[in-house]
Amino acid sequence: MSSRLPPLESLVPPHIRCIEPYIPSKPDDVLGKMFGCPRIYRLNNNENALGPSPKALAALQAADPGQASVYPSGDAYHLRHKLAGRFGHPPDAFIVGNGANELIAFVIKAFCQEGDNIITADRTFAVYEWVAGFSGYEARLAPLRDYGFDDEAMLAAVDGRTKIIFVCNPNNPTGTYWDERRLRRFLDRVDGRQIVVLDEAYAEFVEAGDFPDGMSLINEYPNLVVFRTFSKMFALAALRIGYLAGNEKVVEVIRRTCVVYSVNSLAQVAAIASLEDADEHIARTRRMVNEARAFLRRELSRLGLFHFGDQANYMVVRLPISDTLAYRKLMRQGVMVRTMTGFRFPNHIRVTLGPIPVMEKFIAALEAALAE
């Protein structure tokens, strides 16, 4: 038996050598010991503080543990039919995945080959860029304009090797969005030459009347692929489940790259139940988020801190100190936020909007951190 390390220099492709691994945060019990706080308020991942809907909770509690020995539905058959009924598209127009990250990988694998590129923004959900990069494809990043996606810059970056354009609507982390008129104008100018992915992970939080419903545009734009997730509004983040929808012929191509059985049975059951009381759950969550946003706007203005984020369930705050230093100071008081240097917003933090008592805890901790 050889104990020699394999020749990594020759085994690892150049496009992998230059990538730094993503280091997720440690579990709460470990962080609690590290920072000396008995309880941690998680305001870092845009989770819904209300938790899953009542019907989703009931479905999870009713699940038979004995079924853990049985493989899940490989293509989420019942969930796809439920989605078809809700959105008015055929079941085969949907693919269910192990969270949006897996769906991003499916789409990129389906359409890109050596020498191709994808286009997105420079300060948005980073996984589009990461998956393209470690798959060996170029990610072209158009700078944001006024904190929103710049359609002209994205169109200018398109060339004959561009296969996919990713638009996060509303954008994570800035909370800006394209209205329906702007989205239609963009899709008209793309004119079906590339796949346009519209990531609507936070769509259910948006109440603006001119916010587009990507699902309703699929029949008009066969190159449009829409992402949705059960992690945010429906609070099933731990179960990892999301879905995409598009023209059936386009989705059939994407399905060729899918790994079956990646979505577990509990996730499928909870997602189906979530759709049964979705309207009530969405209304409750929006009330909580709106109250939190109004409170934080008032308090952050009182503290003289620039902030933005008019949609979704998060806000971004610019600080007079480094975001990593602020993170450590806030963690010592049991408040976890997301540092934004990794999003190319140095000295900014992103805060999940939650119940008012938690928002009060955050503001008190922030004031104390800035006063040190």
Side-chain angles (χ1 to χ4, degrees):
M1 182 177 69
S2 172
S3 60
R4 286 189 307 170
L5 192 67
L8 296 179
E9 282 300 312
S10 60
L11 290 176
V12 180
H15 65 272
I16 297 296
R17 290 178 208 157
C18 62
I19 292 176
E20 294 288 333
Y22 176 79
I23 309 297
S25 63
K26 292 181 170 54
D28 284 11
D29 59 326
V30 178
L31 288 172
K33 291 176 183 174
M34 288 174 59
F35 289 95
C37 46
R39 178 179 177 181
I40 294 177
Y41 295 92
R42 299 175 58 91
L43 303 179
N44 61 321
N45 278 338
N46 304 337
E47 294 154 343
N48 185 342
L50 296 184
S53 75
K55 289 200 173 182
L57 283 174
L60 289 169
Q61 290 163 351
D64 178 6
Q67 291 298 304
S69 62
V70 180
Y71 280 100
S73 170
D75 62 354
Y77 179 91
H78 291 300
L79 176 55
R80 288 189 300 107
H81 281 72
K82 192 78 174 178
L83 292 168
R86 182 172 178 83
F87 294 110
H89 296 297
D92 285 344
F94 295 88
I95 293 175
V96 178
N98 187 271
N101 292 353
E102 186 178 59
L103 297 171
I104 293 168
F106 289 165
V107 174
I108 288 178
K109 282 189 292 185
F111 295 105
C112 291
Q113 59 183 326
E114 185 176 359
D116 288 341
N117 65 75
I118 65 111
I119 293 172
T120 188
D122 62 342
R123 287 174 288 179
T124 186
F125 188 51
V127 178
Y128 320 130
E129 176 186 349
W130 292 348
V131 175
F134 62 61
S135 300
Y137 312 126
E138 179 188 3
R140 297 184 174 182
L141 308 179
L144 294 183
R145 174 181 290 184
D146 298 328
Y147 297 101
F149 273 61
D150 186 340
D151 40 6
E152 292 297 332
M154 295 177 78
L155 289 167
V158 172
D159 66 12
R161 300 306 300 269
T162 301
K163 293 296 183 64
I164 309 167
I165 304 171
F166 286 93
V167 178
C168 190
N169 207 46
N171 186 35
N172 174 18
T174 60
T176 54
Y177 70 93
W178 283 358
D179 62 24
E180 182 166 342
R181 181 179 177 184
R182 189 172 183 182
L183 175 61
R184 283 182 176 276
R185 186 175 64 211
F186 182 79
L187 290 167
D188 288 338
R189 291 181 64 183
V190 172
D191 197 22
R193 289 184 293 268
Q194 285 80 32
I195 297 297
V196 175
V197 171
L198 190 66
D199 188 343
E200 296 186 332
Y202 296 92
E204 293 93 350
F205 292 95
V206 183
E207 298 180 72
D210 57 355
F211 183 75
D213 173 14
M215 290 290 181
S216 69
L217 299 176
I218 288 172
N219 291 337
E220 291 181 65
Y221 298 97
N223 64 322
L224 179 64
V225 174
V226 178
F227 284 2
R228 295 275 180 102
T229 180
F230 288 96
S231 296
K232 303 304 180 184
M233 173 59 78
F234 296 104
L236 300 180
L239 299 179
R240 310 303 302 132
I241 183 166
Y243 58 98
L244 65 75
N247 177 277
E248 284 178 273
K249 291 185 177 177
V250 172
V251 169
E252 192 277 329
V253 173
I254 300 170
R255 186 170 286 112
R256 299 175 195 179
T257 70
C258 293
V259 179
V260 294
Y261 302 122
S262 67
V263 182
N264 68 75
S265 299
L266 274 181
Q268 294 184 38
V269 166
I272 290 170
S274 294
L275 296 175
E276 292 174 354
D277 58 354
D279 293 343
E280 299 92 329
H281 185 70
I282 289 171
R284 280 195 301 273
T285 301
R286 284 178 173 178
R287 281 196 295 273
M288 176 190 69
V289 168
N290 289 338
E291 289 173 5
R293 193 190 318 279
F295 173 81
L296 276 198
R297 278 177 177 164
R298 185 171 63 249
E299 290 299 306
L300 293 170
S301 296
R302 176 178 65 80
L303 296 175
L305 297 174
F306 178 71
H307 54 277
F308 51 90
D310 292 332
Q311 306 297 332
N313 65 335
Y314 48 81
M315 291 179 68
V316 175
V317 187
R318 187 171 65 203
L319 301 176
I321 60 176
S322 85
D323 48 348
T324 53
L325 176 60
Y327 173 86
R328 292 194 297 272
K329 289 184 173 185
L330 291 170
M331 279 299 298
R332 287 200 291 269
Q333 301 176 74
V335 176
M336 185 191 297
V337 298
R338 174 58 61 93
T339 58
M340 296 302 293
T341 295
F343 277 82
R344 302 186 175 96
F345 278 107
N347 300 342
H348 290 65
I349 56 172
R350 190 189 64 198
V351 185
T352 306
L353 301 177
I356 292 298
V358 180
M359 296 294 94
E360 291 172 340
K361 173 74 176 174
F362 162 68
I363 287 294
L366 182 61
E367 277 196 272
L370 296 178
E372 286 181 13

